[in-house]
Amino acid sequence: MLFRSDARVSLGILYSHQRTLDDALREFQRAYELDPLSFHALHFLALAARVAGRFDIAFDILGKMKELSPSNPRVYIGLSECYLLQGDYTRSQEMLDAARQLGPAEPLVWLNQGVLYTLTGRRREAEDILNRIASAERESIRLYGVLFIQTALGNLDEAYKALDRQAETHTWPFLLSVHPLFRELRKDPRYREFCKKVGIPY
């Protein structure tokens, strides 16, 4: 069952690259049904659901994740992202504060904090977060932080520098083609070139 669940997750990621979120959600749902105790499968289902605007599904799945792993900061990061995408920045910050208490070293806490600072007009604080992320040991963490926060700041030249490197290392976000945060990034002519380079539909 575990292998079949992982295969469904991989198929969901493929559909996400192809911008067919309904199909991706179906595969992530099947992965969860095959292995309902898999935090991994639940994570992908909740992530795709909130990006698709299916917050009913996302909150339900995040509740199940909380039951399975109540001390995992990624549960609260997921909740924070749901509220952020709904425009409820106060609740988003509350969930992010809870995540920080559970896992102060979790990179996604700082990535999401940088985006939230940007969306609430605190650009200086967002730039401070970028400086913090720049010292991360892992390149993938640095690239994700730059891509998300610089895109939110509207600094597409810097965002594309990170994305070009992610194309080389095959580490770009699998929901890049559909995530609302990257709407302006996808309008840029360089996005077509990126898609050609990595072999995903434009």
Side-chain angles (χ1 to χ4, degrees), residues 5-169:
S5 175
D6 287 344
R8 291 295 183 179
V9 167
S10 296
L11 193 54
I13 291 171
L14 177 62
Y15 281 130
S16 300
H17 286 315
Q18 296 174 340
R19 303 191 304 276
T20 53
L21 263 182
D22 287 343
D23 292 331
L25 279 169
R26 184 190 66 236
E27 296 305 326
F28 292 138
Q29 178 69 37
R30 288 176 176 173
Y32 160 61
E33 291 167 357
L34 287 166
D35 190 2
L37 297 180
S38 169
F39 192 90
H40 179 70
L42 287 163
H43 167 73
F44 278 96
L45 177 55
L47 178 53
R50 60 182 176 263
V51 168
R54 294 297 309 273
F55 297 108
D56 54 335
I57 297 174
F59 280 118
D60 179 60
I61 295 301
L62 286 161
K64 291 179 171 63
M65 292 169 69
K66 189 176 181 181
E67 291 174 7
L68 282 174
S69 188
S71 298
N72 192 320
R74 293 202 174 193
V75 174
Y76 295 91
I77 290 168
L79 290 167
S80 176
E81 289 179 1
C82 282
Y83 288 118
L84 185 147
L85 289 170
Q86 289 180 311
D88 188 342
Y89 299 143
T90 299
R91 288 288 285 155
S92 180
Q93 185 65 65
E94 290 172 359
M95 293 299 102
L96 208 50
D97 290 342
R100 185 182 293 108
Q101 287 185 337
L102 291 169
E106 166 59 56
L108 288 176
V109 168
W110 298 102
L111 185 155
N112 281 273
Q113 187 66 76
V115 172
L116 187 54
Y117 277 151
T118 299
L119 296 179
T120 53
R122 300 170 68 180
R123 294 180 67 91
R124 177 67 63 84
E125 288 93 333
E127 290 166 356
D128 289 342
I129 296 290
L130 275 171
N131 291 332
R132 179 190 179 100
I133 289 174
S135 65
E137 182 177 346
R138 290 169 52 193
E139 182 185 31
S140 60
I141 292 172
R142 299 195 301 270
L143 292 174
Y144 260 71
V146 170
L147 177 65
F148 274 81
I149 298 173
Q150 293 288 21
T151 297
L153 286 167
N155 299 331
L156 296 188
D157 289 345
E158 294 303 315
Y160 266 103
K161 287 179 184 177
L163 190 58
D164 286 342
R165 176 59 182 159
Q166 287 178 315
E168 295 173 1
T169 57

Side-chain angles (χ1 to χ4, degrees), residues 174-190:
F174 79 96
L175 288 167
L176 180 73
S177 299
V178 289
H179 199 298
L181 179 68
F182 299 117
R183 191 171 290 118
E184 294 303 314
L185 187 92
R186 293 192 295 268
K187 293 178 182 178
D188 191 287
R190 288 171 287 188

